[in-house]
Amino acid sequence: MAEMPEYIPGLAGVPAARTSICLIDGIVGKLQYRGYPIEVLAEQGTYEEVAYLLLFGKLPTTRQLDEFRGQLIAERGLKFRIIDLLKTLPESGHPMDALTAAVAAMGMFYKGDHIEDLEFRRLSVIRLIAKLPTIVAAWHRIRRGDDPIKPSTELSHAANFLYMLEGEVPTRLAERVFDVALVLHAEHSMNASTFTARVTGSTLTDPYAVVASAIGSLAGPLHGGANEQVLATLEDIEDRSPQAVRRWAEDRLARKEKIMGFGHRVYKVKDPRATILQGLATQLFRKFGSTPDYDLAVELEGQMTDLVGSKGIYPNVDFYSGIVYQKLGIPIDLFTPIFAVSRVSGWLAHLLEQLENNRIFRPSQIWIGEADRTFVPIEERG
Ligand code: ACO
């Protein structure tokens, strides 16, 4: 028998691709998209510009960006049968499941002959980035009995999403804050959902199946789903005095329970996205007033740093995103769908890169079962 390779749970540290999309150094907290620091992109870029950068590897010129924006705006609308499909789903269901269903169905409405057809590939990428926000907003309205709002043809990607939720054009600050949140979530190298996208894409299936599978992967509480649970975690802390917060954290850690919004497979320092989001939260609070949850979050971060900072457990991107979204008036169960609305550009950049030099994923395994067993007829089994 051939020599057994070493088994690495969760494939931790095993390279799954050669890539030039996203660089992370978790030891020093460095994150770059296509070689540009996240701090610069968050301050100077827009989501559309960053999506272009991720997909095509370079920053767009004004003409290229205008054209890209125009293509996205033209594809924002949903076919009425996709809206009909959303109407058939149980309103108590999670929006991530509604999003998975609608995106998977898009593959039936926008059938291409083959992913090798470059025009089909290009159009699919535009459609997916353009329509995900419309699906999430439409589902949110449909489940509470309201009609979906038609997407604007004037507003930015970020402002249009907020507009489609309640029909109100957001303030400049709300638009900017949400746009930065989208930039921060757009890409993050070989995490579970991106790996899922690359694996699914490597079979040469259509991009709608690729994104539907990635959304399913993102939904889990150890991945994108954590952002919804951070606010519930904060709610769980009744006494918000520093001593009580410390006791609460010690108690959780003693029971080996995970505290949502902390820890990261790659970062051993504070996630740089959490730092940027925290800055956005303070901008929002200056304008619209603070929230007790924010003060509690800062206290919890301090106590956790004291207790487990030495183990490399610090706030991740999800820790402050929920507080920001809540201040923007976004319902909690839309937090993870918003993550998908942003991350879709990263998934698609990885799909395009995978297809450039594709080889179907087919890892090996370590057999731990019994082999060569004898089949015993059912009447003779004890
Ligand atoms: N709270 C308490 N302890 C933690 C936490 C946490 N949030 N995260 C890790 N630890 C501890 C573990 O208990 C373990 O301790 P031990 O060595 O004493 O057993 C050690 O740190 C290593 O933890 P693992 O779970 O093995 O680390 P891994 O790299 O596999 O997991 C993960 C990373 C899944 C993000 C983990 O930190 C976690 O579950 N965090 C909470 C969920 C969360 O916030 N997810 C969002 C991640 S960011 C994103 O997906 C966008």
Side-chain angles (χ1 to χ4, degrees):
M1 216 184 197
E3 201 182 306
M4 281 260 208
E6 185 194 355
Y7 169 55
I8 299 175
L11 297 181
V14 177
R18 290 166 65 82
T19 177
S20 63
I21 300 172
C22 179
L23 171 72
I24 305 177
D25 182 339
I27 303 299
V28 295
K30 177 164 151 177
L31 168 61
Q32 301 191 341
Y33 297 167
R34 298 285 191 187
Y36 295 96
I38 192 66
E39 291 78 6
V40 177
L41 293 173
E43 197 177 316
Q44 297 184 33
T46 61
Y47 179 74
E48 289 92 324
E49 210 173 354
V50 164
Y52 187 101
L53 171 70
L54 289 169
L55 292 167
F56 307 116
K58 56 184 175 60
L59 287 168
T61 61
T62 307
R63 195 187 55 75
Q64 287 166 331
L65 185 58
D66 284 349
E67 197 183 328
F68 185 61
R69 277 204 190 110
Q71 290 168 351
L72 289 174
I73 288 173
E75 284 293 339
R76 279 180 180 167
L78 296 182
K79 285 187 183 287
F80 74 88
R81 288 175 71 189
I82 300 231
I83 293 180
D84 284 352
L85 177 123
L86 289 172
K87 286 182 179 165
T88 64
L89 300 175
E91 56 273 16
S92 58
H94 196 284
M96 281 299 268
D97 294 329
L99 186 59
T100 312
V103 171
M106 278 172 74
M108 300 179 79
F109 289 101
Y110 300 106
K111 252 185 111 36
D113 282 344
H114 203 269
I115 186 65
E116 303 289 8
D117 172 357
L118 294 186
E119 184 54 10
F120 170 64
R121 208 188 276 187
R122 186 192 68 79
L123 262 173
S124 303
V125 164
I126 295 287
R127 279 186 198 123
L128 280 158
I129 297 175
K131 292 187 199 301
L132 251 69
T134 319
I135 295 171
V136 173
W139 165 252
H140 176 57
R141 294 184 63 84
I142 286 168
R143 69 176 169 173
R144 62 176 201 205
D146 293 332
D147 285 331
I149 291 172
K150 267 179 80 143
S152 154
T153 53
E154 306 295 326
L155 296 173
S156 68
H157 202 70
N160 175 53
F161 175 74
L162 296 174
Y163 164 72
M164 287 188 297
L165 285 181
E166 300 300 340
E168 275 174 36
V169 175
T171 63
R172 272 265 183 259
L173 177 63
E175 174 185 9
R176 179 69 194 136
V177 165
F178 189 60
D179 190 55
V180 175
L182 292 180
V183 167
L184 295 179
H185 288 84
E187 166 55 16
H188 210 237
S189 80
M190 205 56 64
N191 52 76
S193 57
T194 301
F195 182 48
T196 304
R198 285 192 86 124
V199 172
T200 309
S202 78
T203 69
L204 301 186
T205 185
D206 71 71
Y208 307 99
V210 169
V211 171
S213 66
I215 295 168
S217 168
L218 183 70
L222 294 186
H223 192 7
N227 62 10
E228 295 181 20
Q229 297 190 20
V230 170
L231 291 181
T233 300
L234 295 176
E235 288 298 306
D236 192 50
I237 306 176
E238 282 170 16
D239 182 345
R240 298 178 164 210
S241 67
Q243 301 82 345
V245 172
R246 189 178 185 92
R247 271 199 307 279
W248 180 92
E250 282 171 341
D251 193 41
R252 283 282 189 107
L253 293 169
R255 292 202 305 260
K256 290 249 162 232
E257 282 178 27
K258 292 275 176 68
I259 299 175
M260 291 294 144
F262 285 90
H264 199 277
R265 171 62 61 81
V266 180
Y267 292 119
K268 297 305 159 207
V269 292
K270 185 168 173 177
D271 184 331
R273 300 167 299 172
T275 307
I276 299 171
L277 277 165
Q278 196 173 0
L280 292 180
T282 51
Q283 281 183 40
L284 276 176
F285 298 152
R286 261 202 300 277
K287 173 109 180 161
F288 301 112
S290 189
T291 110
D293 278 350
Y294 178 68
D295 299 335
L296 176 59
V298 172
E299 183 59 44
L300 182 59
E301 177 181 346
Q303 298 295 349
M304 285 289 282
T305 303
D306 231 32
L307 292 166
V308 287
S310 57
K311 283 175 78 175
I313 300 170
Y314 288 95
N316 59 47
V317 65
D318 289 331
F319 192 58
Y320 289 105
S321 65
I323 292 173
V324 169
Y325 294 153
Q326 197 180 38
K327 200 69 196 169
L328 291 174
I330 298 170
I332 292 180
D333 67 356
L334 293 192
F335 294 177
T336 321
I338 287 170
F339 198 152
V341 160
S342 163
R343 183 57 60 85
V344 66
S345 53
W347 292 330
L348 291 166
H350 279 271
L351 172 65
L352 298 183
E353 191 179 63
Q354 179 67 33
L355 293 173
E356 265 170 33
N357 205 357
N358 188 49
R359 187 164 191 209
I360 188 167
F361 276 90
R362 195 6 176 141
S364 62
Q365 60 175 15
I366 295 190
W367 173 249
I368 55 160
E370 214 179 304
D372 304 325
R373 299 170 84 182
T374 307
F375 184 90
V376 180
I378 195 162
E379 58 281 1
E380 291 172 26
R381 290 177 212 157

